[in-house]
Amino acid sequence: MFSEKHKAAGVAYPQGFKAAGVRAGIKKSGNLDVALIYTEKVAVVAGVFTQNQVAAAPVHVSKVVVGTGLAHAVVANAGCANACTGEQGLHDAEKMAEIAAQELNCRADDVIVASTGVIGVNLDMAKMEAGIKNAVKELSKDGSVNAGNAIITTDTYSKACATELEIGGKEVRLGAIAKGSGMIMPNMATMLCFITTDVDIDQKLLQEALSEITEISFNMLTVDGDTSTNDMVVVLANGAAGNVKITEKNADYVKFYAALKEMCIELAKRIAADGEGATKFITINVHGAKNFADAKKVGMAVANSLLVKTSLFGEDSNWGRVICAVGYSGVKINPDKVTIKYGGIPVYANGIGVKFNAEDMKKILSAKDIIIDIELENGAANATIWTCDTSFLYIKINADYTT
């Protein structure tokens, strides 16, 4: 669905959107660090935010914007999280919106703000102001790549995609940029994700769709079990496609919902695969749970187990660590009914290990992508979790993060 042809267009692919990414000197590296996304035609907006009680200043400001239901722009920076910065931090986040609004000739409460980087550091507002003003000048239909690169921190690349579908005889486009690599754990994953679309849709329906989809996409991945202070996923829909406005859960809504869901799942997978220091992308499928919550709990216990994650880094078929995590997940199970498979090969069943061909297992564990299936035989509910291995590089990245 997501062709390379439109990926570079990203958030500027839908009609009426422009983007930019510039250097403001906020990142120590000197790389791009201020991003701007803009639609001249006001958009309805939906958002889902971190559930960490220590939420960053931009989260508080952006929640207010989403509460109005409308937005014209997103301004974001990397290199400083503006979290745990008190009243000054809140003032700085509000000032980001005010500067952008003044330059774009819109209202400050129509500007989403976001930050990512080191916690406990104040923004350099002189650099930020210059960066925002420069980004406004650089806005273009070709600006999504720079915008995506301006929000990454320890990511090895910016996650971006774009697609289109037909709704009511009109071409509707969606585009996105996202970042996330470490401090990844619901709810949500530590990430910034900005999605744009030119569909015409009721704001409440858009919010409902995003909230539901987040639960089965961004809330189903983990890298290290930490929930960030700054997470947010935001969707702007400006209606420029000209479709008959979606005001109910009809066939048009179902089509749009499916496209948005697929995009969010794709981005979630990319974030998991690009986890800090990752060498493996791991999919954990839990089958036969009593309910979805149980399936997710089991999957997350396995996905967050450092013993499981390090064994997969070492390409070691230590299934004992998996069944151990299943057992302490907090979900009631019968160990004799649980089956565990690596790449489709059973390694545990009927309460004991299953003999397998060592060469076949070696091929599975030496691959970049690894699938673990866990059958509980407790019910009919399923869940899929995405994660990665834990390598030596993860420790190095996080040991040196502020120095």
Side-chain angles (χ1 to χ4, degrees):
M1 180 179 179
F2 304 107
S3 67
E4 293 298 310
K5 180 180 179 182
H6 302 308
K7 185 175 75 170
V11 289
Y13 184 53
Q15 296 180 62
F17 285 93
K18 295 180 180 179
V22 300
R23 291 178 178 85
I26 297 169
K27 280 183 181 177
K28 290 180 181 180
S29 64
N31 293 329
L32 301 175
D33 51 20
V34 172
L36 184 64
I37 303 167
Y38 175 65
T39 169
E40 185 173 351
K41 181 180 180 182
V42 70
V44 296
V45 61
V48 179
F49 300 89
T50 181
Q51 293 181 29
N52 192 320
Q53 295 178 72
V54 186
V59 169
H60 292 294
V61 172
S62 293
K63 280 184 175 181
V64 174
V65 177
V66 170
T68 71
L70 299 173
H72 267 290
V74 175
V75 60
N77 74 275
C80 175
N82 191 13
C84 301
T85 46
E87 289 298 319
Q88 183 62 50
L90 189 61
H91 173 77
D92 291 344
E94 292 171 341
K95 189 65 177 177
M96 285 174 64
E98 290 169 7
I99 296 166
Q102 185 174 3
E103 295 298 309
L104 296 168
N105 195 30
C106 66
R107 294 163 51 100
D109 61 3
D110 284 341
V111 180
I112 294 286
V113 294
S115 298
T116 184
V118 179
I119 293 171
V121 177
N122 289 105
L123 283 167
D124 185 326
M125 289 308 294
K127 291 180 178 179
M128 180 62 70
E129 181 170 2
I132 292 172
K133 289 180 177 179
N134 190 22
V136 171
K137 294 176 184 177
E138 295 292 323
L139 281 170
S140 76
K141 292 296 291 182
D142 299 319
S144 184
V145 172
N146 282 348
N149 287 330
I151 62 173
I152 63 175
T153 49
T154 56
D155 309 60
T156 63
Y157 72 101
S158 170
K159 291 78 182 168
C161 55
T163 190
E164 68 281 321
L165 68 156
E166 184 181 305
I167 293 181
K170 302 290 185 178
E171 182 183 74
V172 169
R173 297 179 176 185
L174 295 91
I177 56 173
K179 66 84 54 178
S181 188
M183 200 181 276
I184 300 281
M185 167 70 178
N187 294 311
M188 294 177 298
T190 198
M191 51 164 280
L192 300 180
C193 178
F194 306 119
I195 300 171
T196 59
T197 177
D198 48 23
V199 74
D200 196 355
I201 187 171
D202 174 76
Q203 189 274 335
K204 290 183 179 179
L205 281 180
L206 182 64
Q207 181 64 60
E208 184 176 349
L210 179 62
S211 297
E212 288 179 2
I213 290 168
T214 297
E215 284 299 316
I216 55 174
S217 58
F218 300 120
N219 282 359
M220 299 299 285
L221 73 145
T222 180
V223 168
D224 48 22
D226 275 2
T227 301
S228 172
T229 55
N230 291 60
D231 307 328
M232 68 174 72
V233 53
V234 173
V235 181
L236 277 69
N238 68 6
N243 61 289
V244 175
K245 187 173 183 177
I246 301 173
T247 59
E248 59 182 348
K249 295 182 180 180
N250 54 20
D252 290 347
Y253 174 83
V254 171
K255 289 179 69 174
F256 174 74
Y257 185 101
L260 181 62
K261 174 184 172 182
E262 187 170 354
M263 176 170 279
C264 290
I265 288 176
E266 176 66 18
L267 291 168
K269 289 180 177 180
R270 293 186 192 183
I271 290 170
D274 194 37
E276 289 174 342
T279 68
K280 311 285 186 184
F281 171 56
I282 302 159
T283 300
I284 300 171
N285 298 311
V286 180
H287 312 276
K290 183 177 180 181
N291 51 51
F292 175 77
D294 279 1
K296 179 178 178 179
K297 190 178 289 187
V298 168
M300 281 294 176
V302 175
N304 281 319
S305 167
L306 281 175
L307 292 178
V308 172
K309 292 159 73 68
T310 51
S311 68
L312 292 173
F313 169 66
E315 300 178 0
D316 179 9
S317 57
N318 195 339
W319 54 263
R321 295 178 175 183
V322 176
I323 189 60
C324 178
V326 172
Y328 66 61
S329 66
V331 174
K332 188 174 182 179
I333 62 156
N334 181 342
D336 292 338
K337 290 185 176 181
V338 176
T339 300
I340 297 170
K341 298 178 182 179
Y342 280 23
I345 297 177
V347 294
Y348 173 91
N350 302 315
I352 59 175
V354 177
K355 290 184 179 180
F356 52 82
N357 183 282
E359 287 301 312
D360 290 341
M361 185 58 65
K362 183 178 179 180
K363 290 179 183 178
I364 289 169
L365 296 179
S366 63
K368 169 70 175 176
D369 296 348
I370 298 173
I371 298 174
I372 297 175
D373 289 290
I374 302 167
E375 173 60 56
L376 302 177
E377 289 193 25
N378 266 355
N382 308 312
T384 297
I385 309 295
W386 302 288
T387 188
C388 61
D389 58 343
T390 298
S391 70
F392 303 119
L393 185 55
Y394 177 86
I395 297 171
K396 177 173 173 53
I397 290 170
N398 286 283
D400 297 342
Y401 191 67
T402 61
T403 54

